[in-house]
Amino acid sequence: MLVAAAVCPCPPVLVPDVAAGAAPELDAARAACKDALGVLAASRPDLLVVVGPAEQSGRGPHPQGTRGSFRGFGVDLDVRLGGDKPGPVAAERSERVLPPSLAVAAWLLQRTGWADAPVEGLGVGEPLEAERCIQVGGEIGGRAERVALLVMGDASACRTLKAPGYLDERAAGFDAEVARALGAADVAALKALDSEPAYQLKVSGRAPWQVLAGAAEGAGLGGALLYDDAPYGVGYLVAAWS
């Protein structure tokens, strides 16, 4: 059963080495992510599953110890999911590399010194239907007696004229509803998110959030919104459920 969840944004610039001189601009977001991961640790899970957007669904599971890299962003920095200790499936034997969203998650876990439970990662593609996301979440929730989720994903990328997706007047409203749902642990609202406007607004978190909704069904968790801002015109949200 799901006992806790943390929702974090996944831009590579969350990693200070990638952001370089602009790193202080996301200090508040990093602090909120650290607090959210603290909620996960306090839940004493038997298993932590990290879910984030990927180019293709099902690119995983990524076992503990799977390598991620920020070299594609011009930074000589590698990470491993859940640290250097491989999980039940030796990561060294896997040719998979973490998608960027899970590499950011691995950096967050490394930064907080995660050592509380085994970790594995799962990438979900943006087009994955809501029903399938919810089904996958339900399966994850049944994996262990005490399951925690680290859910990576950004809200719209259309909040300002300089945003990656330019300005779309619908973006602020979409993000506000997602922020409300995450802060209230509103499972029904997350399940009901419409994939079409999410795609148009370049939302990367829709599928991972719906995986969370599936995992949280019947768990009775409460939520708290820890961060809600749109630096660079992209909606970044941090929430903790317990």
Side-chain angles (χ1 to χ4, degrees):
M1 176 177 285
L2 187 72
V3 295
V7 177
C8 295
C10 61
V13 291
L14 198 63
V15 179
D17 287 0
V18 176
E25 297 175 10
L26 291 180
D27 280 348
R30 294 184 193 97
C33 290
K34 184 176 181 180
D35 291 343
L37 265 64
V39 171
L40 296 185
S43 73
R44 302 177 65 85
D46 300 317
L47 172 68
L48 173 64
V49 179
V50 183
V51 180
E55 290 185 3
Q56 292 179 288
S57 293
R59 295 301 297 270
H62 298 281
Q64 183 163 326
T66 300
R67 182 179 65 85
S69 175
F70 296 97
R71 296 176 189 270
F73 301 96
V75 175
D76 185 13
L77 176 65
D78 294 328
V79 292
R80 286 191 180 275
L81 185 64
D84 293 330
K85 183 179 179 181
V89 177
E92 291 81 13
R93 297 177 185 173
S94 173
E95 295 181 356
R96 294 192 181 111
V97 177
L98 296 174
S101 66
L102 298 189
V104 173
W107 177 84
L108 287 171
L109 291 169
Q110 181 176 298
R111 178 174 182 253
T112 56
W114 181 268
D116 298 86
V119 181
E120 67 178 53
L122 178 66
V124 291
E126 187 279 331
L128 193 65
E129 300 87 350
E131 293 78 7
R132 179 57 180 152
C133 293
I134 293 164
Q135 180 185 358
V136 168
E139 294 168 356
I140 290 173
R143 291 277 309 280
E145 185 174 343
R146 299 181 64 81
V147 177
L149 272 176
L150 174 53
V151 182
M152 309 298 292
D154 300 339
S156 71
C158 303
R159 291 280 291 273
T160 66
L161 291 173
K162 293 184 178 180
Y166 197 65
L167 176 65
D168 190 311
E169 299 294 345
R170 300 171 296 170
F174 185 96
D175 290 358
E177 171 55 19
V178 172
R180 186 207 63 77
L182 291 175
D186 189 337
V187 170
L190 293 178
K191 285 183 175 181
L193 289 175
D194 192 332
S195 61
E196 185 59 28
Y199 174 76
Q200 293 169 358
L201 295 171
K202 302 186 183 301
V203 176
S204 70
R206 191 274 308 170
W209 299 331
Q210 291 184 318
V211 171
L212 167 61
E217 182 70 38
L221 303 183
L225 186 66
L226 306 181
Y227 182 86
D228 177 5
D229 203 356
Y232 320 122
V234 181
Y236 296 153
L237 302 168
V238 181
W241 291 17
S242 62

